[in-house]
Structures are given as C-alpha cells and as structure tokens.
Amino acid sequence: MKICVTVDGERLDARQGQTVAGLLMSSGRVSWRTTAGTGRPRGLFCGIGVCFDCLVTVNGLGDVRACQRLVADGDVVETGAADEKR
C-alpha cells in the first residue's frame, strides 16, 4: 500500500512498513545531514539504531533515527534539522 510522506517540502510516495532511511535511499539520497564539527555528510551507517548518523526530524520531533522509524501516511520529515538543534 502506498502512502505519502513529505521530505524537505517534497512529497514522496512510500510503502507501508518502509523506514524513513529506506524512503530516503530509494529517492536517491545517500546522505541527509552533516556533522556539526566538520560538515561531513552522514546517512545510513549501522542500520540498526546504534549510531547517530541517520538522525532526522519527523513531525517536529528531532533526533529520530531514520533507520528505526517506520513512515506513516502524512509524515513530515526534515533532514539536517537534527544537526542544527545541537
């Protein structure tokens, strides 16, 4: 079943049961935030919620691990925002 998610203002079709990281990667994004100190790109690294490389903001809640969060219809995802809050 397809659902609609907004990522950085762009509406994307997602599949029910897909993670935010899966949606971002399927839309061609390999990184979606940068490190605070050096500005190095970060995206999916461990894929199991241990590291903090895939953080995003979902529906206004920051520091969400994209590899762990399943998308829901109507979700609003902001990339890079978790980095700015630190």
Side-chain angles (χ1 to χ4, degrees), residues 8-86:
D8 295 332
E10 178 184 358
R11 293 176 61 100
L12 298 176
D13 288 331
R15 297 189 195 289
Q16 191 169 3
Q18 189 173 28
T19 63
V20 172
L23 172 62
L24 293 171
M25 293 178 69
S26 70
S27 71
R29 298 180 190 209
V30 294
S31 66
W32 45 84
R33 74 174 198 91
T34 57
T35 58
T38 61
R40 299 176 90 183
R42 293 290 184 255
L44 189 63
F45 181 69
C46 75
I48 59 172
V50 175
C51 74
F52 299 93
D53 281 353
C54 68
L55 295 179
V56 294
T57 298
V58 180
N59 302 326
L61 178 64
D63 295 334
V64 175
R65 288 178 177 91
C67 68
Q68 296 290 292
R69 172 66 157 70
L70 298 179
V71 294
D73 194 38
D75 274 351
V76 176
V77 177
E78 298 171 54
T79 62
D83 221 21
E84 297 167 7
K85 293 179 181 176
R86 292 182 180 190

